[in-house]
Amino acid sequence: MSTKPKSPNPHRDTHALIELTKSSQILLSHFQSSLTPVPASFSAVPSHSSISASTSVPNPLDVVKTTTTLLKSHTTTLSLLLLTPPLTPSALSKKIGDVSSGVLSGMVAAVSGAPQPGQQDGLGEVMRAELRAQVRRVLGAWGDVLAHLLKFVERREGVEGKGKGKDEGVTESERQNILASTGVVWEACDALLKLCQDGVVGLVVKKAESWRATLMDAVEELKEWGENVEDEEEDGDKAEGSDGGRGEFGDEDGIFGAANKLSKGDKELKELLDVSVKKLKMVGMLYQALSKRRLKTFPAVPTSKVETNGEGTVALLDPMAKLDKLMGILKSIPECADELASSFYNLDEEEARQTLDTCCGEAKIAIELVKQSWSGKDDEFTTWSEKWVGALEVS
């Protein structure tokens, strides 16, 4: 007894596509929730650890590159299927299933993991956080594709239900939406692929340069503020309420600006400002040196330095943990500089002095952390760092 294959049922296939798309959206929401960013701890680096240099976590960058490339390909095919009539729900369903159960699940799993006790971390907190952020962006872009697909297919289901017959394809508005959302997926994927290509070194160098730029912007603003000195006689005139005929309130700058301007009598605060600008410029120089001598020379395959003692083999400072700690400090210094600027604007000399000490203290911790090379040896930077600390303290 032979069994005849089921004849195609467009309405049934369209309904199945709609249900699959909705379930895929739910799954996508779970994926995004699992990658919700958490503050990086940048915890203090221990003097020794039980991590063995011989164990390592499989680098997820290869998985991310593979799945990202596949997603670009699948998205392109999906768009072509949508834009080319007649609508083929079964082909669309297969493509969505491939993306949800294969590509995206693999991508999310690759960036969700963290090194377990006894495993070497090949990514670090900085790269792991950036990967998760960019994968979330990819997921959001793919979600827009699904939303436009669902809207179009639901409209087509209505057409089929009314028995209008001929499939005239997407409207111009739908076409533009599909093309635009496909382009966003491509853009997000390209950014993720570049992140994987640049690796840990490329990312930390880029972030350090960005933080240095922020720091130097704060220095320039402080310098300009210090040059705008309020004349005491002019200040006195404004205090008496002279408005020069400009009305009851006079010049707004005179009312709201005088309180946070340096006066010629604030000699100690002006001296502290000059010292602060000089020291922060030196810290900016440190960023450049760290980028060239330490960040760009970070090993492609970082391994812990080990030694043997009476209790067995223990791993010393883990380079990746040290790098994470360093990046946490480099990120905090521009924030500290902003607080320093606020102290000056408030004419609070004591707070400004304490905040400057904090900024310089963080910089000295950073340079001490990587005073030696990643292999634990003295080099040119070691000698330079000692001179830099000495110059910072006397400036």
Side-chain angles (χ1 to χ4, degrees):
M1 180 177 176
S2 62
T3 303
K4 293 182 179 181
K6 293 182 179 180
S7 59
N9 186 326
H11 182 70
R12 181 190 62 206
D13 291 345
T14 301
H15 182 72
L17 173 59
I18 291 174
E19 293 304 310
L20 175 62
T21 304
K22 289 180 178 179
S23 63
S24 297
Q25 289 177 319
I26 295 174
L27 179 61
L28 197 63
S29 178
H30 289 316
F31 283 157
Q32 290 174 311
S33 297
S34 70
L35 298 178
T36 301
V38 294
S41 63
F42 294 118
S43 55
V45 182
S47 58
H48 61 83
S49 168
S50 60
I51 298 176
S52 169
S54 62
T55 60
S56 62
V57 176
N59 195 325
L61 295 183
D62 290 338
V63 177
V64 174
K65 284 190 287 186
T66 300
T67 53
T68 303
T69 302
L70 282 173
L71 180 61
K72 288 182 64 176
S73 176
H74 286 322
T75 304
T76 302
T77 304
L78 187 77
S79 297
L80 291 174
L81 289 171
L82 281 170
L83 296 174
T84 307
L87 184 69
T88 52
S90 59
L92 288 168
S93 293
K94 184 179 185 308
K95 192 59 59 178
I96 292 175
D98 289 341
V99 171
S100 297
S101 62
V103 175
L104 294 186
S105 60
M107 183 186 296
V108 171
V111 302
S112 296
Q116 300 301 312
Q119 292 180 316
Q120 184 77 38
D121 188 359
L123 289 181
E125 293 181 0
V126 177
M127 173 57 90
R128 192 171 294 107
E130 188 69 21
L131 277 173
R132 289 175 178 174
Q134 293 212 23
V135 168
R136 278 177 58 84
R137 182 187 172 199
V138 168
L139 295 178
W142 174 249
D144 289 340
V145 171
L146 290 182
H148 289 307
L149 181 149
L150 180 62
K151 185 176 180 180
F152 166 60
V153 176
E154 285 181 332
R155 181 179 69 80
R156 284 300 309 153
E157 185 184 40
V159 171
E160 292 172 357
K162 294 178 181 179
K164 292 189 176 181
K166 185 179 179 181
D167 183 0
E168 298 180 354
V170 297
T171 64
E172 182 58 28
S173 175
E174 289 169 337
R175 176 184 178 83
Q176 293 302 321
N177 286 335
I178 292 169
L179 289 174
S181 59
T182 300
V184 173
V185 171
W186 268 67
E187 182 182 352
C189 287
D190 287 342
L192 184 54
L193 287 171
K194 188 176 189 309
L195 175 64
C196 294
Q197 179 181 347
D198 292 345
V200 173
V201 171
L203 176 64
V204 296
V205 168
K206 180 179 178 180
K207 285 189 173 293
E209 290 174 350
S210 175
W211 293 330
R212 179 186 179 275
T214 301
L215 172 64
M216 300 315 293
D217 285 344
V219 172
E220 191 61 29
E221 289 179 7
L222 270 176
K223 183 180 177 182
E224 292 178 359
W225 178 79
E227 292 171 350
N228 188 18
V229 178
E230 182 77 20
D231 185 80
E232 290 181 344
E233 293 182 3
E234 181 183 350
D235 186 43
D237 291 340
K238 291 177 181 177
E240 293 172 3
S242 174
D243 59 13
R246 288 186 296 272
E248 180 181 358
F249 298 109
D251 187 359
E252 291 181 359
D253 289 339
I255 298 173
F256 301 110
N260 69 343
K261 287 184 179 180
L262 272 174
S263 69
K264 291 183 177 180
D266 292 327
K267 293 183 179 180
E268 291 186 0
L269 190 61
K270 181 63 169 66
E271 290 176 358
L272 179 59
L273 175 64
D274 293 340
V275 170
S276 298
V277 169
K278 184 177 181 181
K279 286 181 179 291
L280 289 181
K281 284 183 176 179
M282 289 189 63
V283 175
M285 185 190 304
L286 173 61
Y287 274 73
Q288 292 177 308
L290 286 171
S291 180
K292 181 179 180 180
R293 300 295 182 181
R294 289 297 180 258
L295 299 183
K296 290 183 179 180
T297 62
F298 189 75
V301 183
T303 55
S304 299
K305 180 182 176 183
V306 297
E307 69 175 12
T308 304
N309 57 23
E311 299 178 356
T313 301
V314 296
L316 298 179
L317 200 59
D318 176 17
M320 187 60 76
K322 186 189 291 188
L323 178 64
D324 280 333
K325 176 64 176 178
L326 175 63
M327 296 303 290
I329 296 172
L330 296 183
K331 180 177 183 293
S332 71
I333 290 175
E335 298 169 353
C336 184
D338 285 341
E339 295 177 5
L340 176 63
S342 297
S343 300
F344 277 111
Y345 298 157
N346 293 330
L347 306 181
D348 191 332
E349 181 181 346
E350 181 179 355
E351 182 179 349
R353 198 176 299 277
Q354 292 176 351
T355 307
L356 177 62
D357 289 343
T358 299
C359 290
C360 293
E362 288 293 291
K364 287 189 282 188
I365 291 174
I367 202 170
E368 181 64 28
L369 185 65
V370 290
K371 186 176 182 179
Q372 294 183 314
S373 69
W374 297 110
S375 61
K377 298 178 181 179
D378 290 347
D379 57 12
E380 292 180 0
F381 181 80
T382 307
T383 303
W384 183 88
S385 67
E386 294 172 351
K387 295 178 180 179
W388 183 88
V389 171
L392 182 70
E393 291 177 345
V394 299
S395 61

